[in-house]
Amino acid sequence: MTAPERVIVVWLPDWPVTALLRTQARELATSERIAPEDPIAVMHDGAVVACSPSARAEGVRRGMKKRDAQAACARLRLAAADEARDSRAFHDALVRLEELAPGAEPLRPGVAALRARGPARFYRGERPAADALLAALAQAGLADARAGVADGLFTAEQAARAAGEERIRIVAPGEAASFLAPLSVGALGDPDLALLLARLGIRTLGEFARLAPGRVDDRLGSRGARLHALAAGSDSRTVTPRVPPPELSRELDLDAPLELAEQVAFAVRQTADAFCDGLAGAGLVCTAVRILIVSDAAERSERVWQHPTSFDAASVTDRVRWQLQPSPAVAALTGGVVHVRIEPEAVDDAGAHQPALLGQGPDERAHHAMTRVQSALGHRAVLTPSPGGGRFLAEREVRVPWGDGSGPAARRDLPWPGSLPAPLPTEVFREARPAQVCAASGEPVGVDGRGFVTADPATLDRRAVSSWSGPWPIVERTWDPARARSAHRFQLALEDGSAWLAVLEDGAWWLEGRYA
C-alpha cells in the first residue's frame, strides 16, 4: 500500500453562515438582511446545521432543534440552509486559492484541499505555504480560515478543525495514526457507525483502528473497512483538482445613470451578445437567467427569468427591459441605472436545443409570436392559465406571463384541507354568481353553529331542487382577522337536469361552478 500524499486542507468555519452574510446583499431585500453581529442559526429539517460565534456564545449548538435554539437565544435570527448558495459563495474562495496554488479540490462548500508538494516547494515549507493561503483568504474578508497539513485528506481536514487559535496545524509525516487516535469516532461522519461502536464500547478512532481489519470487513462491509482505514491514518484517496469553469456572467457599468428602460435595454445589447456568445463557446445554452440591476440610489432589482427553450441576446435584452417596467408585485427603481449583471441560473447542452431539420414546428412558431407581442406590449401582455393551489375553485386558476417557467406561488401539490375533491365542475365561474337557496317554506337556508342546515334546500333561484349534498365546511386563516374566511359548500341537483356547486358564506349564497 502506498503512503498517503501530503495534503493541505483549508477549512472555513461556519461556512453556511458566512455564505449567507456574503450573498445577502445581492440576493435579499434590504428589510430581510441580517446584521453580521446578530446571533444567526442556519436550519435544515428543523435542526441547527451551523451557527455564528455570537449564537454559540449564548448557548446555541449544532444539532439543536429549533425551539431549543430559540429558547437558548431569544433574539436568534434563523435562515434556511441552501447548498446552492453555499457553493456560489465558495467559488470566490476557490478562485483566491487557485491564484496561489492551482489544483484545488472543493471537498464541500467551506472545505478545499490542495496537494502540499508544489506549494511547499514554492514557499519553502508547508507552514509558509499554509500561511500564504490563509493570508490570501484574509484579504478576501475570510480571516477566520484554518489550515491543516497531514498525510491524506481525512487527517488534514481533522488537523484544520483542530488548529484553533493557531490557525495552522501540521501533522508530521507518519504521525497520522497517533494524531487521530484520541479523536471521537464521530469524526468519521457516519452517525450510525458511531452509535454502533459506542454500544461496543469503542469511542475513539484509536480504539477503532486497533480492531482486526478482517473482522471489520466481515461485520461492516466495504464502507466500514474504508472508515477503518481512515481511522488508522491510511487514507489512499488523492486530491483531484477541479477544472475551473469558464466565466459565463457578464456585467455592464454605466458612467452616467440611465433613467429610461429603453435606454438601458439599448446599452445592454452588447453585454447580452457577449453573454450568449460565451455560453455558445462553452457548448451551452441558458434556460434560466439571473439579472441584477443597481441604481444610483443604491436600489437593487434582482430576478430570475426562465425560458421554455433557451435565451438568445434579444430575449435577454427584453428581460432587462421588462424588469425595469412597473409591476404590481415589485416596486420600480426610483434612481437611474448604473450597473447591470447577467449570469446564468440554469444551463443545458446546446446540442439538445438545435432547431429541427425541416423547420421549427408549430410550438416554436407560437413561442416566437408570443414573444414578439411581449416585446411590443410588455411582459404581462400575454398570460397563460396555470393550475395552482387553493380551497376555492377560482383560486386554482392562476395566470402567469408567457414563457415563465416558475409556477403559481400557491403550489397545487400542497395539502389544502377543505378543497373540493374530484370530480370538479366542468365550468368554473371566475367571479362567483349570487344565488338564492330557499327551503320549502320560502325561508333562506342557512347553517347553524354546529354545522347543520337549518332546513332542506328546496329551490335554487326558484327552480326546484331534486337532490342535494353538503354542507362541507371551508375554514382558513383563522389567525388573521383581515383574511379569515369561513364558508360551506353544497352540491345541488335540479329537476331540470342541471347540477351546481353552491357556497354559503357570511349568510349569502354564491354559485362557484356548474356540472355538465
Side-chain angles (χ1 to χ4, degrees):
M1 180 182 296
T2 59
E5 68 177 353
R6 296 291 287 176
V7 176
I8 301 176
V9 168
V10 177
W11 171 55
L12 297 164
D14 308 319
W15 181 251
V17 175
T18 304
L20 170 68
L21 296 175
R22 291 175 71 88
T23 59
Q24 65 176 351
R26 57 186 296 269
E27 296 185 2
L28 296 179
T30 304
S31 59
E32 300 176 358
R33 297 176 193 170
I34 302 175
E37 62 273 10
D38 288 347
I40 305 168
V42 178
M43 311 292 297
H44 180 66
D45 286 343
V48 178
V49 295
C51 56
S52 64
S54 56
R56 275 196 301 275
E58 300 199 29
V60 180
R61 296 292 183 269
R62 285 187 60 187
M64 270 189 173
K65 295 298 183 182
K66 179 180 177 180
R67 286 189 177 183
D68 295 335
Q70 290 177 318
C73 178
R75 58 191 187 95
L76 186 67
R77 301 292 301 273
L78 302 178
D82 187 342
E83 188 173 351
R85 176 187 65 209
D86 298 345
S87 298
R88 287 196 302 270
F90 193 49
H91 174 74
D92 294 337
L94 285 175
V95 171
R96 288 280 183 170
L97 294 175
E98 289 174 334
E99 289 175 352
L100 299 181
E105 178 189 358
L107 302 179
R108 68 188 68 87
V111 183
L114 307 95
R115 294 190 178 100
R117 181 180 179 184
R121 292 179 64 182
F122 183 83
Y123 291 101
R124 299 186 178 182
E126 293 175 342
R127 183 172 292 277
D131 275 328
L133 296 174
L134 296 186
L137 293 177
Q139 292 178 356
L142 300 170
D144 58 346
R146 304 288 188 267
V149 186
D151 296 337
L153 287 166
F154 176 72
T155 308
E157 181 176 348
Q158 299 308 313
R161 294 179 181 275
E165 295 300 325
E166 296 180 0
R167 301 184 61 215
I168 298 174
R169 178 71 179 269
I170 298 179
V171 179
E175 298 295 328
S178 59
F179 166 75
L180 295 173
L183 300 184
S184 168
V185 291
L188 293 171
D190 191 326
D192 293 335
L193 176 64
L195 180 60
L196 173 62
L197 294 177
R199 290 173 177 173
L200 298 174
I202 299 172
R203 302 186 181 278
T204 65
L205 296 182
E207 294 171 346
F208 183 38
R210 284 194 290 271
L211 296 179
R215 295 286 184 90
V216 174
D217 193 12
D218 292 341
R219 177 70 182 270
L220 303 177
S222 59
R223 174 164 175 77
R226 163 70 178 164
L227 296 178
H228 181 260
L230 294 182
S234 302
D235 190 353
S236 59
R237 188 185 159 217
T238 59
V239 175
T240 304
R242 72 165 187 151
V243 177
E247 182 57 51
L248 300 177
S249 61
R250 296 292 184 271
E251 297 184 358
L252 172 65
D253 291 310
L254 300 170
D255 295 332
L258 299 180
E259 301 284 348
L260 301 179
E262 291 299 330
Q263 293 176 328
V264 178
F266 181 80
V268 84
R269 285 181 180 176
Q270 289 187 347
T271 306
D273 283 330
F275 172 73
C276 293
D277 290 344
L279 288 168
L284 303 171
V285 293
C286 181
T287 58
V289 64
R290 180 185 294 270
I291 298 176
L292 169 67
I293 303 174
V294 182
S295 74
D296 57 353
E299 299 167 308
R300 300 170 60 87
S301 171
E302 187 166 3
R303 180 171 177 178
V304 175
W305 297 88
Q306 302 198 31
H307 199 287
T309 54
S310 61
F311 282 100
D312 57 14
S315 58
V316 172
T317 304
D318 286 338
R319 269 59 177 186
V320 174
R321 182 190 299 111
W322 296 342
Q323 190 163 324
L324 290 170
Q325 293 173 348
S327 169
V330 181
L333 299 179
T334 59
V337 175
V338 294
H339 178 79
V340 179
R341 178 180 174 86
I342 305 171
E343 62 183 37
E345 183 73 9
V347 297
D348 196 4
D349 187 356
H353 292 261
Q354 294 297 324
L357 180 62
L358 299 179
Q360 295 180 326
D363 292 342
E364 287 295 328
R365 290 197 296 270
H367 173 68
H368 180 69
M370 299 301 181
T371 304
R372 286 178 62 87
V373 175
Q374 283 182 312
S375 300
L377 302 180
H379 181 51
R380 300 190 63 83
V382 182
L383 304 177
T384 57
S386 177
R391 295 177 177 84
F392 292 88
L393 296 182
E395 297 174 346
R396 297 193 185 187
E397 181 183 323
V398 183
R399 296 184 178 184
V400 298
W402 176 266
D404 267 17
S406 56
R411 289 167 44 192
R412 186 182 184 184
D413 58 343
L414 295 178
W416 294 98
S419 61
L420 188 69
L424 299 177
T426 52
E427 181 182 359
V428 176
F429 307 134
R430 181 170 295 278
E431 295 183 2
R433 301 178 182 180
Q436 288 185 344
V437 178
C438 298
S441 62
E443 293 294 324
V445 175
V447 176
D448 61 22
R450 299 175 62 189
F452 296 106
V453 293
T454 57
D456 291 348
T459 61
L460 169 62
D461 292 337
R462 300 183 180 179
R463 291 176 292 173
V465 175
S466 60
S467 61
W468 61 277
S469 62
W472 303 313
I474 312 171
V475 181
E476 61 181 10
R477 302 188 185 97
T478 55
W479 61 88
D480 186 353
R483 299 189 301 158
R485 294 187 70 176
S486 178
H488 293 82
R489 275 200 178 102
F490 291 79
Q491 286 177 330
L492 304 174
L494 308 186
E495 290 184 353
D496 60 10
S498 61
W500 304 81
L501 180 67
V503 178
L504 174 62
E505 184 176 7
D506 295 331
W509 283 90
W510 305 87
L511 296 180
E512 263 197 300
R514 176 169 52 193
Y515 295 91

